[in-house]
Amino acid sequence: MRNIKRIFALIITLFVISAFSRSTLYEHLEHKRGAYDHDNGFFTPFTPLEATPHPVTRYYEVELSQVDLAPDGFVKKIFSINGQYPGTILHANKGDNIHVTVKNNLGFPSVIHWHGMLQKGTTWNDGVTGQTQCSIPNGVSFVYNFSTGEQCGTYWYHSHTHGQYMEGLRAPLVIHDPDDPFRSYYDLEYVITMSDWYHGRISDLLKLRMAPNYGGFNPIPDSGLMSGVGRYNCSAAPPNSQCRPNNPLAVYKVTSGKRYRLRLINMSGLVHYIFSVDNHPLKIIEADGQYSRPVTVNKLPVAIGQRYSVIIEANQPVENYWMRATIDDRCILKNQSTINIDSAINYKVTGILRYDGADIADPKSKEYPDQTEPCLSLDQSLLKPYVPLQVPGPATNEIKLTATFGVDSQNIGRAFINNSTYAVDDQHPTLEKFVNNKVALNQFPANQNIYSYDKWGETVDIIFINNNFAIHPIHMHGHSFFVLGTGSGIEVDKSKLNLIDPFPRDTFVLNSTSWAVFRYKATNPGVWTIHCHIEWHVEMGMVAQIIELPTALSKAEIPESVTDLCRQQQKSKRSRFSRRNRLYNIDMERIKV
C-alpha cells in the first residue's frame, strides 16, 4: 500500500510539473511572440527613411538560431532570424550600401540570398550554396556587403540551401526611394508577408518526398500565415503536442482618412496566394521592384517570390474588415499517396484591418468575387512601366530551357531542365571553381546545368518551355527581365510577343504546358541561377546556372572572406566526423553504418 501511495504521489507530481511546464512554455511564447504584440515591425506603420545627402552604409546584424515558436498556435522548433518569425525587416534607401553580419548559430550550415537584388559587381554576395559560395558553418559569422545601386522597392531575404527557408529563415527587405513618384499617394506603410507553414521538419519531409518509388506530389502544408501569424485547427494536432486554439490573427490598424502603402511578399515554398482587403480596392504601384502605372484591382494573385506595393485608402466606415490571403488550392496537386494529404490546413488565411475607434471584434465584411486566373501571375497586360522603357533587341543569343519531370535510375522523382537534373555541389561552388580554380566551362559536370554567353551588352532571350502538368513560378537571379510574352503549348508564338511596353519582373509564372520569353541585356558578370521557386522542385533539380560574361568574370577578385568559407566548412566537417566515419542527416541525428 505504501508503494502504491508513492506511485500515486509521483504521478500527481509529474502531472503538476507537466502542466506547469506547458503553462510556462506558453507564457514564454506569449511574451516572445504574443501573436503580434512583439510585431517585428510588421504591425506598426512606418514612413520612408529620410533622404541623406549621399548614399550611406546601413549596418545590420542577424542571428540564425533555433527557437520554440507557435506562429499558428502549434508549438514547434523553428529556424529563426533574430529569434523571430518572420525575421527582422531590413530598410535602406536607393543607392545605400547594405552591410549585414550573419551570425550562424543554427546548428547547420546556411546562407542568405537577397531575393531580387541584382548584386552588380558582387555576384559572390548572391548567397546561393554551391553556386556563389560555400555555406556559412555553424558557429561562424559572415558579412554580406553590397550596394542597392539604382534599385528600390520590395524585396526579401532567405536561406538558399536545402529547403531551410521553409523552416523560418525568411524576412523582408525594403529599399526606399527618396524620389518616389508615388510618395504623395500614401501617408504610411506596412509590410505584409504570406507564407506556408509545415509542422514537420523540412529535412524529414524531403527524405520522404525524394524516396524511391514515392507516388505522391509535394507535401501539403499544415497552415498558411499572414505576416507570420495564422490559426491552426488544434483538434487535428497529434497527441501530446502543444497547441493554442483560436490563435490571435494578424491585425493591421488604420486611421480614417489616411492612405497606406502595403508591401506584399509571397515567401512560400509551395502555395500561390490571392490577396484582398474587403471594401478596399488595391491600387498597384510596384511589382518586383519596378514602378508601374497605377492600376486598381479588387483581388491580386501573388505567386511565390513575387512582390507588389498597393495603396489602400481608409475611407470606409469605422469598422473591422477582413484581409484575405487565400491559398489557391487549384494549384496544389495531390493524390492519396501525397505526404500530409490529411492536412487540416485552412486555405482561407485571414487577418484584420481595424480602423481606430472600431470595436475589437471579428469583421462582418463580405469578400470580393474571385475573377483571377487559377495559379497564374496578374495579367501581364495590366502592368505597364511607369516611365517608358526601351526594350533591347533583337536578341543576339537565345537560351532554350525546357522543364520536365521524370525518375532517375533509382526510381526517385526528379525535375529536369533540358533533360538534366541539377545537383548542388555544397563543397565546391561554381564561382570559386571558375574564377579561382580556372575550371573551363566545358569541364563542369553535366548536372551543374551551366549555360553561358560572353558578349558584353548583347540581348539575351531566355525561352522557357514548361513541358509538364505543373505550374512553375520562375525566378532569375541577377536580373530583371522583360516578359515579352507567354502562351499555351511548347512552341513559341512570336506573334504574341510584346516588343513595345512589356513589364520587367524577376519572377513570372508559367502555366502548365506553356512557354514564355524573357529578355535582358548582358551587363552583369556573374554566376546567376534561374529556377522554379517551388522549393520542392528546387530540391528535385529544376535549376539552371548562367555564367554571364565569363571573360570579365574570370578577372574578378573574390573576397577572401568568401573563399575562406569553404576552408572553414571543411575544417568544421573534420571536427564533426570521427575516424569511424560517422554519418549524420541534416538534423545531426546519427545514421548507423
Side-chain angles (χ1 to χ4, degrees):
M1 179 64 71
R2 184 178 300 172
N3 288 338
I4 293 176
K5 288 182 177 179
R6 287 177 178 174
I7 293 172
F8 182 75
L10 178 60
I11 291 172
I12 294 297
T13 301
L14 291 175
F15 177 79
V16 171
I17 291 173
S18 175
F20 175 78
S21 298
R22 185 169 299 189
S23 173
T24 301
L25 174 59
Y26 275 121
E27 288 176 5
H28 171 71
L29 292 176
E30 282 289 336
H31 171 72
K32 200 169 184 182
R33 173 144 223 350
Y36 49 82
D37 49 359
H38 104 293
D39 66 27
N40 239 14
F42 284 88
F43 303 104
T44 300
F46 57 86
T47 56
L49 296 174
E50 291 187 6
T52 57
H54 305 285
V56 300
T57 297
R58 309 277 177 176
Y59 290 91
Y60 291 98
E61 289 188 359
V62 299
E63 180 183 10
L64 314 183
S65 65
Q66 296 192 52
V67 296
D68 288 315
L69 290 182
D72 61 355
F74 182 90
V75 180
K76 64 166 286 189
K77 190 172 292 293
I78 78 162
F79 290 179
S80 74
I81 296 175
N82 291 339
Q84 304 161 328
Y85 181 77
T88 305
I89 302 174
L90 304 186
H91 294 265
N93 275 336
K94 180 175 69 175
D96 284 349
N97 209 67
I98 295 178
H99 183 287
V100 183
T101 301
V102 177
K103 299 179 178 180
N104 184 11
N105 292 318
L106 193 65
F108 317 107
S110 191
V111 297
I112 293 295
H113 165 61
W114 309 91
H115 184 111
M117 299 308 298
L118 300 181
Q119 299 293 351
K120 289 269 189 178
T122 52
T123 184
W124 45 81
N125 276 316
D126 196 41
V128 182
T129 294
Q131 294 188 15
T132 61
Q133 67 172 95
C134 281
S135 297
I136 308 167
N138 182 57
V140 172
S141 293
F142 178 74
V143 173
Y144 291 95
N145 189 9
F146 57 92
S147 172
T148 62
E150 291 300 309
Q151 289 187 263
C152 58
T154 309
Y155 304 89
W156 57 301
Y157 62 102
H158 62 85
S159 172
H160 212 298
T161 183
H162 303 306
Q164 288 179 351
Y165 85 76
M166 289 192 290
E167 294 269 22
L169 297 184
R170 43 191 171 186
L173 169 63
V174 176
I175 310 298
H176 300 276
D177 183 1
D179 302 313
D180 182 355
F182 297 108
R183 184 63 188 91
S184 64
Y185 284 47
Y186 60 92
D187 302 294
L188 296 163
E189 300 188 49
Y190 280 117
V191 172
I192 299 174
T193 65
M194 293 161 273
S195 57
D196 43 23
W197 194 246
Y198 292 86
H199 292 167
R201 294 302 295 261
I202 298 302
S203 54
D204 293 333
L205 295 174
L206 272 172
K207 284 183 284 186
L208 295 173
R209 179 67 178 88
M210 303 300 291
N213 303 307
Y214 173 66
F217 294 96
N218 300 315
I220 309 298
D222 292 287
S223 294
L225 306 177
M226 182 184 292
S227 298
V229 182
R231 182 173 288 175
Y232 181 65
N233 178 7
C234 289
S235 66
N240 301 318
S241 58
Q242 296 159 336
C243 189
R244 174 175 51 194
N246 297 316
N247 198 49
L249 298 177
V251 175
Y252 283 87
K253 297 180 180 179
V254 296
T255 300
S256 186
K258 297 288 187 181
R259 302 155 303 165
Y260 294 82
R261 177 177 184 166
L262 309 181
R263 295 178 180 266
L264 310 176
I265 310 171
N266 185 343
M267 304 194 303
S268 298
L270 176 66
V271 306
H272 180 95
Y273 275 100
I274 301 171
F275 181 84
S276 63
V277 183
D278 292 356
N279 293 41
H280 294 76
L282 311 173
K283 182 183 291 185
I284 302 169
I285 61 168
E286 176 225 343
D288 291 359
Q290 303 288 334
Y291 289 127
S292 71
R293 296 180 198 166
V295 57
T296 300
V297 299
N298 291 332
K299 287 194 167 184
L300 178 58
V302 188
I304 302 168
Q306 289 186 334
R307 297 90 61 208
Y308 290 92
S309 283
V310 300
I311 294 172
I312 64 169
E313 296 186 28
N315 57 6
Q316 296 297 302
V318 175
E319 294 287 352
N320 295 292
Y321 298 87
W322 286 120
M323 307 176 75
R324 304 178 190 270
T326 301
I327 297 173
D328 194 338
D329 62 354
R330 298 169 292 184
C331 319
I332 299 180
L333 302 172
K334 52 191 172 184
N335 59 22
Q336 288 306 308
S337 298
T338 298
I339 299 163
N340 209 20
I341 185 63
D342 58 350
S343 168
I345 184 173
N346 178 7
Y347 290 95
K348 296 185 180 297
V349 181
T350 55
I352 298 174
L353 186 77
R354 175 165 292 152
Y355 277 67
D356 289 337
D359 293 336
I360 298 177
D362 282 350
K364 298 178 181 179
S365 57
K366 302 297 183 183
E367 184 176 4
Y368 285 116
D370 188 5
Q371 298 176 330
T372 61
E373 289 289 329
C375 314
L376 299 182
S377 298
L378 179 71
D379 183 351
Q380 190 70 3
S381 67
L382 294 177
L383 293 176
K384 300 299 178 185
Y386 178 70
V387 175
L389 301 173
Q390 183 175 358
V391 182
T396 54
N397 202 319
E398 290 186 350
I399 297 176
K400 186 176 182 179
L401 303 175
T402 300
T404 55
F405 288 112
V407 295
D408 63 15
S409 59
Q410 296 177 302
N411 211 30
I412 295 173
R414 299 289 185 185
F416 298 86
I417 289 184
N418 293 348
N419 298 316
S420 175
T421 186
Y422 172 74
V424 61
D425 186 345
D426 292 296
Q427 309 300 318
H428 308 96
T430 301
L431 182 65
E432 187 165 343
K433 281 190 289 189
F434 178 73
V435 175
N436 289 354
N437 300 336
K438 309 302 180 184
V439 176
L441 293 177
N442 60 7
Q443 295 300 308
F444 280 85
N447 64 11
Q448 294 301 286
N449 289 2
I450 287 177
Y451 298 84
S452 187
Y453 41 83
D454 202 20
K455 184 178 179 182
W456 189 283
E458 72 174 321
T459 299
V460 179
D461 275 359
I462 301 287
I463 300 173
F464 213 109
I465 308 295
N466 180 20
N467 193 14
N468 60 80
F469 51 83
I471 292 174
H472 302 290
I474 302 300
H475 173 56
M476 186 174 185
H477 295 205
H479 291 278
S480 286
F481 48 76
F482 288 100
V483 181
L484 298 189
T486 185
S488 60
I490 59 173
E491 295 294 331
V492 175
D493 182 352
K494 293 192 175 182
S495 70
K496 292 186 176 180
L497 299 185
N498 176 7
L499 301 176
I500 302 192
D501 58 357
F503 193 83
R505 306 208 63 152
D506 58 47
T507 309
F508 185 76
V509 180
L510 265 73
N511 205 349
S512 58
T513 316
S514 69
W515 57 268
V517 178
F518 309 144
R519 177 172 290 185
Y520 58 92
K521 291 182 75 69
T523 58
N524 195 9
V527 175
W528 310 116
T529 183
I530 181 168
H531 62 91
C532 174
H533 219 297
I534 293 176
E535 188 63 15
W536 306 104
H537 294 172
V538 170
E539 297 303 314
M540 292 172 69
M542 194 172 287
V543 177
Q545 298 186 77
I546 305 292
I547 296 186
E548 182 167 344
L549 303 171
T551 297
L553 181 61
S554 66
K555 300 173 184 176
E557 295 186 10
I558 305 173
E560 187 175 350
S561 61
V562 178
T563 58
D564 193 48
L565 286 174
C566 294
R567 290 188 288 270
Q568 293 184 75
Q569 184 169 281
Q570 289 297 325
K571 181 180 178 181
S572 175
K573 286 176 68 67
R574 284 193 298 269
S575 67
R576 287 191 293 114
F577 288 79
S578 74
R579 294 181 180 179
R580 296 178 63 186
N581 294 321
R582 292 179 179 175
L583 300 179
Y584 298 82
N585 67 13
I586 196 169
D587 286 322
M588 297 303 292
E589 297 167 345
R590 175 74 182 279
I591 298 176
K592 295 180 180 179
V593 293

